[in-house]
């Protein structure tokens, strides 16, 4: 029933000061979820400048190939583009999500 739906749609918010290891912690969650067979991951950050940092954090945890081939920056897509990747990390920012939501409401 409802419990299974919630288990499949859980999210996590991690907020702290700069340099506290948020990216490394999120990368660890991705590693764990991959080991559990989950294929799609969303990484939401404050700045698009942190995209390369996110890839580095994944690489540092042993996901070099995954980071280079299966990390996508939502900012590189147009708001109406279909996203066809069946596996990977979709990186986005709070700001970009707001812009997309506003465009899709028009």
């Amino acid at each position: 029933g409802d419990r299974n739906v919630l288990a499949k749609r859980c999210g996590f918010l991690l907020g702290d000061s700069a340099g506290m290891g948020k990216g490394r912690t999120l990368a660890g969650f991705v590693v764990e979820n991959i080991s559990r067979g989950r294929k799609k991951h969303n990484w939401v950050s404050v700045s698009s400048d942190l995209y390369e940092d996110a890839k580095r954090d994944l690489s540092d945890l042993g996901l070099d190939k995954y980071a280079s081939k299966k990390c996508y920056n939502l900012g590189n897509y147009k708001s109406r583009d279909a996203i066809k990747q069946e596996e990977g990390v979709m990186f986005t920012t709070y700001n970009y999500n707001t812009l997309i939501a506003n465009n899709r409401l028009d």
Side-chain angles (χ1 to χ4, degrees):
D2 292 340
R3 188 177 184 116
N4 288 335
V5 170
L6 291 176
K8 291 181 181 180
R9 297 188 174 269
C10 290
F12 186 84
L13 173 66
L14 177 61
D16 210 334
S17 302
M20 299 304 292
K22 294 178 297 294
R24 191 61 53 101
T25 301
L26 292 174
F29 286 132
V30 172
V31 170
E32 178 183 351
N33 279 285
I34 289 170
S35 73
R36 293 175 184 256
R38 298 178 183 125
K39 295 184 176 195
K40 294 182 179 182
H41 317 278
N42 292 310
W43 188 309
V44 183
S45 189
V46 69
S47 169
S48 59
D49 294 340
L50 297 173
Y51 173 64
E52 292 299 325
D53 290 344
K55 289 171 56 175
R56 184 205 63 229
D57 286 329
L58 290 166
S59 292
D60 288 349
L61 294 183
L63 294 178
D64 298 356
K65 189 173 177 181
Y66 192 90
S68 67
K69 302 218 183 262
K70 297 189 181 194
C71 283
Y72 310 99
N73 189 339
L74 189 58
N76 294 335
Y77 293 83
K78 295 179 182 161
S79 64
R80 305 274 182 204
D81 285 350
I83 298 173
K84 299 177 182 178
Q85 285 75 15
E86 294 184 20
E87 181 178 355
V89 175
M90 182 60 71
F91 181 91
T92 188
T93 63
Y94 308 114
N95 220 14
Y96 191 76
N97 284 338
T98 302
L99 293 171
I100 293 295
N102 289 339
N103 283 339
R104 291 194 174 165
L105 292 174
D106 292 341

